[in-house]
Every structure is written in C-alpha cells, then in structure tokens.
Amino acid sequence: MTLYIDPGTGSMLFTILIGVIGAGLYSLRMLLIKLRFRLTGGKAETGTKKIPFVIFSDDKRYWNVFEPICREMDRRGRDIVYLTASEDDPALKCTYPHVKAEAIGPGNKAFTRLNFLNAAIVLSTTPGLEVYQWKRAKDVRFYVHIPHAASDITLYRMFGLDYYDAVLLSGAYQARDLRALEKLRGLPEKELVTVGIPYMDEMAARLRRSGPAPEHPRTVLLAPSWGKSAALSVYGGRIIEVLLKTGYHVIVRPHPQSFKSETEMMEKLMKAYPESGQLEWNRDTDNFEVLRRSDILISDFSGVIFDFTLIYDKPVIYTDPQFDVGLYDAWWLKKPLWTASALPRLGCQLTPENMENLKELIDTCLTDPRFAEGRRQVKAETWEHPDEGARRTVDYLLEKYAQLTAGEEDA
C-alpha cells in the first residue's frame, strides 16, 4: 500500500522537521561558541559571518534575470553569493570575480539550505516564501522578490509574495494590485520599487547589436505555455495543421515543461508533424534567435508574448485559454487582469470559431497600424525605465544594505 501525503500536510511536517533540526543546530552552535569563548580566553567570535547579498534561483532558466544584476554588482566591486537549484546553471560558469555561485540541489535539499541562511539580503524570483517548504530564515534580515516576466504580478499562486519584504516592479499597475491585496488581507505594506526589467534591457541591447534578421520567408512562431489550458493541450495538432495550410514557415517551440509533464502528447505531435522544409521544432535554450527570425507569435498566457512584442516590436496572436484564476492572487481582486486589457492592443485573438481563418488573422496583425500603436502603449505601462533595470536594482539593494547595517561597523 502506498502512503499519500497531501502538499499541505507535507509542508507542515517539513516545517516541524526544520524546526526540530533548527533548534538542535542552534543549541549545538551556541555550545560550540561558548566552548571556543572559554578556550580562547573570551576572544572567540560570537557567530558565523553574515553574507551581505544572496541570490537564490530555483531554475537555470532564470540566469537571464539575474545575470545583468550580478554584472552590475561585480562592476561596483560588491560580493554576491548565487545559490541555484540547477546543477547545470550557467551561473556556475560565471567568471565575475565578485560572484560566487554554488549548486545547492533541488527541492527540499535547497529549501533546507535556504532556511538556515545567514544573510543580510536575499533576492529571488521564486514565489511562495513562508507558504510551503521555503521559510524565512531567522538570520536573514530582508527578502526581495524580482518577477521574471513583464505582466500581472497577481498571477502567482495565492499568497506567493505575501511574506517578502520588498518587490521590484516594472509598472505602476503592479504596485496598485499588490497594495490592494495587502489591504484585503490585512498585511503590512511591503517596499514596492519600480526598477524596470533588467533581462528585457539585455535582450533589447543584444537585438540592437545584432541588427535585423537575415532575409527569410514569412515565419510564424507557435510558442505556447504548458498545462491543460495551454494552446497545444486545447487545440492539439489542429493548430499546427492549420498553420501549415497558410504556406508560411512554421516554428513550434513548446514550453520546456511540456517535455517533462506532457511527454505523451509531445511524442504524438512530433510524430504526426515531423520536421520538414516548412516546419521546425525548436528547443534552443536561448530563445533570442528564434524570436528574432519570427515575424509573428502565436501563444496563450506565456510570458514570451511580452518579450516578443515589446522587445522585437512585432505583433502577436493570442488564444483564449479560459484561464481559471481560482488558485491565484488575482482571484482576490475580482477585476479583469491587466493582461486582458493589453492583449487586444497587441494583436488578434484566436478562437475555435476563427481557427480556419488563421492566415487572414496573421496578415491583419502584420499590416494593421493600430497594433504598432498598441505596442507603444503597453510598453509604456509595463516596462518603465528601459535600459536602467540593472542599475536601479543594484542601487536599491545597496541602499537597503546600508540602511540595514547602519552603525554596525562602528559598533
């Protein structure tokens, strides 16, 4: 018989275990400190050295979020410890002298390490602090969250950001939504700082250096998210078949998680629609080139929509995934998502009813000037301070560290 433990119970048991281990380690540490104190005639240190800055990344794909920040910290000569759950994180090959990267393992192994951190500031893009396994460490003073997409800040699982001390934002609508959540839940106000989007700044600069894409046939990129509401799950092979009928070059770039969680579906689709001169399946780790050589994007609720349309200044076609916000922070606000107002300004909606007219939708999006104006409006709303994201982020981190440690050196 297999014993099943639901996530809530598992989290509670994990918390109890961490508490027992923490109490034991704390007692042992205090015993060792007292022993050293006596053996050294009262000259022993009273604790381990606090790390000024820690970045935690739960997946290697977030290196693009943190790399510009690490580079700016290194440029200013400030040390930073980078903890990653991925053994093959590009950060582990980082050559910045002031950045020390370390793989701490996945899942509970990583959370156990994080729960006993001794640091001044922890910066992360991972939601759920103090909700499930990841707890606030008693020796960490300040937790800062930075999003990994330019869209609604309320599309995290419920309570995802409640226990952070600060959130770095890219637009004023995000701040309004977080303040509304705090009021509804009776939470103390977090520090909300609009810094921009460092990783999008990097992509935009890279695009300027690369110049326009080489001559190519009209190219359509299908890049959905994953899960039961995602485009490939909803439309299956039909959407690929209709795209091939357009005569345009088609690139299908599934979400990486689809190959892990939707293996059977992916195998069937790739077998039914093999690569050809017109169709290619793309699994590049870096999506820069595939976005650069595509003329239009078809997606659902994936964050790649905003990367594509705001950086590359190209239109999109978006599906209606009938997204259920019941598990997300957005449910509390009882209002339409900002994304719902942004998408119609960026392109056309694809539905089961207009699927057969997909070629006409593509042509309209590529030629109608109202979508170019819509991109300008959306960019202004969700990407403030372009080209300044990393600098503003580091400015804030250093200022906060100075506040947290004021007077300690003299003491």
Side-chain angles (χ1 to χ4, degrees), residues 9 45 56-58 66 72 103-104 167 178 192 232 335:
T9 303
E45 294 183 6
F56 168 59
S57 176
D58 62 55
F66 294 118
E72 181 67 13
I104 59 174
V167 181
L178 285 179
L192 303 181
L232 285 179
K335 70 180 185 65

Side-chain angles (χ1 to χ4, degrees), residues 243 248 254 264 275 363:
L243 279 172
Y248 299 144
E264 183 178 353
E275 286 209 352
D363 295 343

